Amino acid sequence: GFCVSGRRIVTNAHNVESAIVLQVVAQDHPKKWRARVTAIAHDLDLAVVEVDDEAFWSKCGVETVELASAEEVPALYSEVNAIGFSTGGSTICVTKGVISRIDAHLYVHPNLGGIVSGSRNS
């Protein structure tokens, strides 16, 4: 996932949907921190997770990103970066691509859809 303002982490719903105990780690930090799901949208495969422990945010040097508003959706053919963990990977991957299609449709994981065209890291 990635950190956003308000000490929240945005991740995929399929990563947390069956969690009884949820723990997160910051990249390059081995300690696990207790977290909790505060919102989940299976139709978008997104979830919001919160970590209440101040030490996670201060000791790990966690940086947050600003989410764009609905009015700031990238235009067709805009260059973008897709960031995440490819199947079987244990480190973060960044893939450059372009917005090739913008669709409005509902889906529920595991049949995930996408709109970014670019090289696929697997």
Side-chain angles (χ1 to χ4, degrees), residues 58-106:
S58 61
K59 290 182 180 178
C60 296
V62 175
E63 295 183 33
T64 61
V65 297
E66 187 75 26
L67 293 178
S69 69
E71 294 80 29
E72 298 174 304
V73 173
L76 281 173
Y77 310 112
S78 296
E79 290 187 8
V80 294
N81 292 321
I83 302 170
F85 291 85
S86 57
T87 304
S90 60
T91 58
I92 198 162
C93 292
V94 179
T95 302
K96 291 184 179 185
V98 297
I99 300 292
S100 58
R101 182 178 71 239
I102 298 176
D103 279 345
H105 65 279
L106 295 178

Coordinates of all heavy atoms in Angstrom, one line a residue, residues 58-106:
S58 N 6.8 8.0 13.0 CA 8.0 8.8 13.3 C 9.3 8.1 13.1 O 10.3 8.6 12.5 CB 8.0 9.4 14.7 OG 7.9 8.3 15.7
K59 N 9.4 6.8 13.6 CA 10.7 6.1 13.5 C 11.0 5.6 12.0 O 12.1 5.4 11.7 CB 10.7 4.9 14.4 CG 10.8 5.3 15.9 CD 10.8 4.1 16.8 CE 10.9 4.5 18.2 NZ 10.9 3.3 19.1
C60 N 9.9 5.3 11.3 CA 10.1 4.7 10.0 C 10.3 5.7 8.9 O 10.6 5.3 7.7 CB 9.0 3.8 9.6 SG 8.8 2.3 10.7
G61 N 10.2 7.0 9.2 CA 10.3 8.0 8.2 C 9.3 7.8 7.0 O 9.6 8.1 5.9
V62 N 8.1 7.4 7.4 CA 7.1 7.2 6.4 C 6.7 8.5 5.7 O 6.4 9.5 6.4 CB 5.9 6.5 7.0 CG1 4.7 6.3 6.0 CG2 6.3 5.1 7.6
E63 N 6.7 8.5 4.4 CA 6.2 9.7 3.7 C 4.8 9.5 3.1 O 4.5 8.3 2.8 CB 7.2 10.0 2.5 CG 8.6 10.4 2.9 CD 9.5 10.7 1.8 OE1 9.0 11.3 0.8 OE2 10.7 10.5 1.8
T64 N 4.0 10.5 3.1 CA 2.7 10.4 2.5 C 2.6 11.0 1.2 O 3.4 11.9 0.8 CB 1.7 11.1 3.5 OG1 2.0 12.4 3.6 CG2 1.7 10.4 4.9
V65 N 1.6 10.6 0.4 CA 1.3 11.2 -0.9 C -0.1 11.8 -0.8 O -0.9 11.5 0.0 CB 1.3 10.1 -2.0 CG1 2.7 9.5 -2.2 CG2 0.3 9.0 -1.8
E66 N -0.3 12.8 -1.7 CA -1.5 13.5 -1.8 C -2.4 12.8 -2.9 O -1.9 12.6 -4.0 CB -1.3 15.0 -2.2 CG -2.5 15.8 -2.1 CD -2.9 16.2 -0.7 OE1 -2.1 16.1 0.2 OE2 -4.1 16.4 -0.6
L67 N -3.6 12.4 -2.6 CA -4.5 11.9 -3.6 C -5.1 13.0 -4.4 O -5.4 14.1 -3.9 CB -5.6 11.1 -2.9 CG -5.2 9.8 -2.1 CD1 -6.4 9.2 -1.5 CD2 -4.5 8.8 -3.0
A68 N -5.2 12.7 -5.7 CA -5.8 13.7 -6.6 C -7.3 13.7 -6.4 O -7.9 12.7 -6.0 CB -5.5 13.3 -8.1
S69 N -7.9 14.8 -6.7 CA -9.4 14.9 -6.6 C -10.0 14.3 -7.9 O -9.3 14.0 -8.8 CB -9.8 16.4 -6.5 OG -9.6 17.0 -7.8
A70 N -11.3 14.0 -7.9 CA -12.0 13.4 -9.0 C -11.8 14.3 -10.3 O -11.8 13.8 -11.4 CB -13.5 13.2 -8.7
E71 N -11.7 15.6 -10.1 CA -11.5 16.5 -11.2 C -10.1 16.4 -11.8 O -9.9 16.9 -12.9 CB -11.8 17.9 -10.8 CG -13.2 18.2 -10.4 CD -13.5 17.8 -9.0 OE1 -12.6 17.8 -8.1 OE2 -14.7 17.4 -8.7
E72 N -9.2 15.7 -11.1 CA -7.8 15.7 -11.6 C -7.4 14.3 -12.1 O -6.2 14.0 -12.1 CB -6.9 16.0 -10.4 CG -7.0 17.4 -9.8 CD -6.2 17.6 -8.6 OE1 -6.3 16.9 -7.6 OE2 -5.4 18.6 -8.6
V73 N -8.4 13.6 -12.6 CA -8.1 12.3 -13.2 C -7.2 12.5 -14.4 O -7.4 13.4 -15.3 CB -9.4 11.6 -13.7 CG1 -9.1 10.3 -14.4 CG2 -10.2 11.3 -12.4
P74 N -6.1 11.7 -14.6 CA -5.2 11.9 -15.7 C -6.0 11.8 -17.1 O -6.9 10.9 -17.2 CB -4.2 10.8 -15.6 CG -4.3 10.4 -14.2 CD -5.7 10.6 -13.7
A75 N -5.6 12.6 -18.0 CA -6.2 12.5 -19.4 C -5.7 11.3 -20.1 O -4.6 10.7 -19.8 CB -5.9 13.8 -20.1
L76 N -6.4 10.9 -21.2 CA -5.9 9.8 -22.0 C -4.5 10.1 -22.5 O -4.2 11.3 -22.8 CB -6.8 9.6 -23.2 CG -8.1 8.8 -23.0 CD1 -9.0 8.8 -24.2 CD2 -7.8 7.4 -22.6
Y77 N -3.7 9.1 -22.6 CA -2.3 9.1 -23.1 C -1.4 9.9 -22.1 O -0.2 10.1 -22.5 CB -2.2 9.7 -24.5 CG -3.2 9.0 -25.4 CD1 -4.3 9.6 -25.9 CD2 -3.1 7.6 -25.7 CE1 -5.2 9.0 -26.7 CE2 -4.0 7.0 -26.5 CZ -5.0 7.6 -27.0 OH -6.0 7.0 -27.8
S78 N -1.8 10.2 -20.9 CA -0.9 10.8 -19.9 C 0.0 9.7 -19.4 O -0.3 8.5 -19.3 CB -1.7 11.3 -18.7 OG -2.6 12.3 -19.0
E79 N 1.3 10.1 -19.1 CA 2.2 9.1 -18.6 C 2.0 9.0 -17.1 O 1.7 10.0 -16.4 CB 3.7 9.6 -18.8 CG 4.1 9.6 -20.2 CD 5.6 9.9 -20.4 OE1 6.3 10.0 -19.4 OE2 6.0 10.0 -21.6
V80 N 2.0 7.8 -16.6 CA 1.7 7.5 -15.2 C 2.7 6.4 -14.7 O 3.4 5.7 -15.5 CB 0.3 7.0 -14.9 CG1 -0.7 8.1 -15.2 CG2 0.0 5.7 -15.8
N81 N 2.8 6.2 -13.4 CA 3.6 5.1 -12.8 C 2.6 4.2 -12.1 O 1.8 4.7 -11.3 CB 4.6 5.7 -11.8 CG 5.7 6.4 -12.5 OD1 6.1 6.0 -13.6 ND2 6.2 7.5 -11.9
A82 N 2.7 2.9 -12.3 CA 2.0 2.0 -11.5 C 2.9 1.4 -10.4 O 4.0 1.0 -10.8 CB 1.5 0.8 -12.4
I83 N 2.5 1.5 -9.2 CA 3.4 1.1 -8.1 C 2.8 0.0 -7.3 O 1.6 0.1 -6.9 CB 3.7 2.3 -7.2 CG1 4.3 3.5 -8.0 CG2 4.6 1.9 -6.0 CD1 4.4 4.8 -7.2
G84 N 3.5 -1.0 -7.0 CA 3.0 -2.1 -6.2 C 4.0 -3.3 -6.1 O 5.1 -3.2 -6.4
F85 N 3.4 -4.4 -5.7 CA 4.2 -5.6 -5.5 C 3.7 -6.6 -6.6 O 2.6 -7.1 -6.5 CB 4.1 -6.2 -4.1 CG 4.7 -5.4 -3.1 CD1 4.0 -4.3 -2.5 CD2 6.0 -5.6 -2.7 CE1 4.6 -3.5 -1.6 CE2 6.6 -4.8 -1.7 CZ 5.9 -3.7 -1.1
S86 N 4.6 -7.0 -7.5 CA 4.2 -8.0 -8.5 C 4.1 -9.4 -7.8 O 4.7 -9.6 -6.8 CB 5.1 -8.0 -9.7 OG 6.5 -8.2 -9.2
T87 N 3.4 -10.3 -8.5 CA 3.2 -11.6 -7.9 C 4.5 -12.3 -7.6 O 5.4 -12.3 -8.4 CB 2.4 -12.5 -9.0 OG1 1.2 -11.8 -9.3 CG2 2.2 -13.9 -8.4
G88 N 4.6 -12.7 -6.4 CA 5.9 -13.4 -5.9 C 7.0 -12.5 -5.5 O 8.0 -12.9 -5.0
G89 N 6.8 -11.2 -5.7 CA 7.8 -10.2 -5.3 C 7.8 -9.8 -3.8 O 6.7 -9.9 -3.2
S90 N 8.9 -9.4 -3.3 CA 9.0 -9.0 -1.9 C 9.4 -7.5 -1.8 O 9.5 -7.0 -0.7 CB 9.9 -9.9 -1.1 OG 11.2 -9.8 -1.6
T91 N 9.7 -6.9 -3.0 CA 10.1 -5.5 -3.0 C 9.2 -4.8 -4.0 O 8.6 -5.4 -4.8 CB 11.5 -5.3 -3.4 OG1 11.7 -5.9 -4.7 CG2 12.5 -6.0 -2.5
I92 N 9.1 -3.5 -3.8 CA 8.2 -2.7 -4.6 C 8.6 -2.6 -6.0 O 9.8 -2.5 -6.3 CB 8.0 -1.3 -3.9 CG1 6.8 -0.6 -4.4 CG2 9.2 -0.4 -4.1 CD1 6.3 0.5 -3.5
C93 N 7.7 -2.5 -6.9 CA 8.0 -2.4 -8.3 C 7.3 -1.1 -8.8 O 6.2 -0.7 -8.4 CB 7.4 -3.5 -9.2 SG 8.1 -5.1 -8.9
V94 N 8.0 -0.4 -9.7 CA 7.4 0.8 -10.3 C 7.5 0.6 -11.8 O 8.5 0.3 -12.4 CB 8.3 2.1 -10.0 CG1 7.7 3.3 -10.7 CG2 8.3 2.3 -8.5
T95 N 6.3 0.7 -12.5 CA 6.2 0.5 -13.9 C 5.7 1.7 -14.6 O 4.6 2.2 -14.1 CB 5.3 -0.7 -14.2 OG1 5.8 -1.9 -13.6 CG2 5.2 -1.0 -15.7
K96 N 6.4 2.2 -15.6 CA 5.9 3.4 -16.3 C 4.9 2.9 -17.4 O 5.1 1.9 -18.0 CB 7.0 4.2 -16.9 CG 7.9 4.9 -15.9 CD 9.0 5.7 -16.6 CE 9.8 6.4 -15.5 NZ 10.8 7.3 -16.1
G97 N 3.9 3.7 -17.7 CA 3.0 3.4 -18.7 C 2.2 4.7 -19.1 O 2.5 5.8 -18.7
V98 N 1.2 4.5 -19.9 CA 0.3 5.6 -20.3 C -1.2 5.2 -20.1 O -1.5 4.0 -20.1 CB 0.5 6.0 -21.8 CG1 1.8 6.5 -22.1 CG2 0.1 4.8 -22.7
I99 N -2.0 6.1 -19.8 CA -3.4 5.9 -19.7 C -4.0 5.6 -21.1 O -4.0 6.4 -21.9 CB -4.2 7.1 -19.1 CG1 -3.7 7.4 -17.7 CG2 -5.7 6.8 -19.1 CD1 -4.0 6.4 -16.6
S100 N -4.4 4.3 -21.3 CA -4.8 4.0 -22.6 C -6.3 3.9 -22.7 O -6.9 3.8 -23.8 CB -4.2 2.6 -23.0 OG -4.5 1.6 -22.1
R101 N -7.0 3.8 -21.6 CA -8.5 3.7 -21.6 C -9.0 4.1 -20.2 O -8.4 3.9 -19.2 CB -8.9 2.2 -21.8 CG -10.4 2.0 -21.9 CD -10.8 0.6 -22.2 NE -10.5 -0.2 -21.1 CZ -9.7 -1.3 -21.1 NH1 -9.1 -1.6 -22.2 NH2 -9.5 -2.0 -20.0
I102 N -10.1 4.8 -20.2 CA -10.8 5.2 -19.0 C -12.2 4.6 -19.0 O -13.0 4.9 -19.9 CB -10.8 6.7 -18.7 CG1 -9.4 7.2 -18.7 CG2 -11.6 7.0 -17.5 CD1 -9.3 8.7 -18.5
D103 N -12.4 3.6 -18.1 CA -13.7 2.9 -18.1 C -14.4 3.2 -16.7 O -13.7 3.4 -15.7 CB -13.5 1.4 -18.2 CG -13.3 0.9 -19.6 OD1 -13.6 1.7 -20.5 OD2 -12.8 -0.3 -19.7
A104 N -15.7 3.1 -16.8 CA -16.4 3.1 -15.5 C -17.2 1.8 -15.5 O -18.3 1.7 -16.1 CB -17.4 4.3 -15.5
H105 N -16.7 0.9 -14.8 CA -17.4 -0.4 -14.6 C -17.1 -1.0 -13.2 O -16.1 -0.7 -12.6 CB -17.0 -1.4 -15.7 CG -15.6 -1.8 -15.7 ND1 -14.5 -1.1 -16.2 CD2 -15.0 -2.9 -15.2 CE1 -13.4 -1.7 -16.0 NE2 -13.6 -2.8 -15.4
L106 N -18.0 -1.8 -12.7 CA -17.8 -2.4 -11.5 C -17.1 -3.8 -11.6 O -17.4 -4.5 -12.6 CB -19.1 -2.6 -10.8 CG -19.9 -1.4 -10.4 CD1 -21.2 -1.7 -9.7 CD2 -19.0 -0.5 -9.4

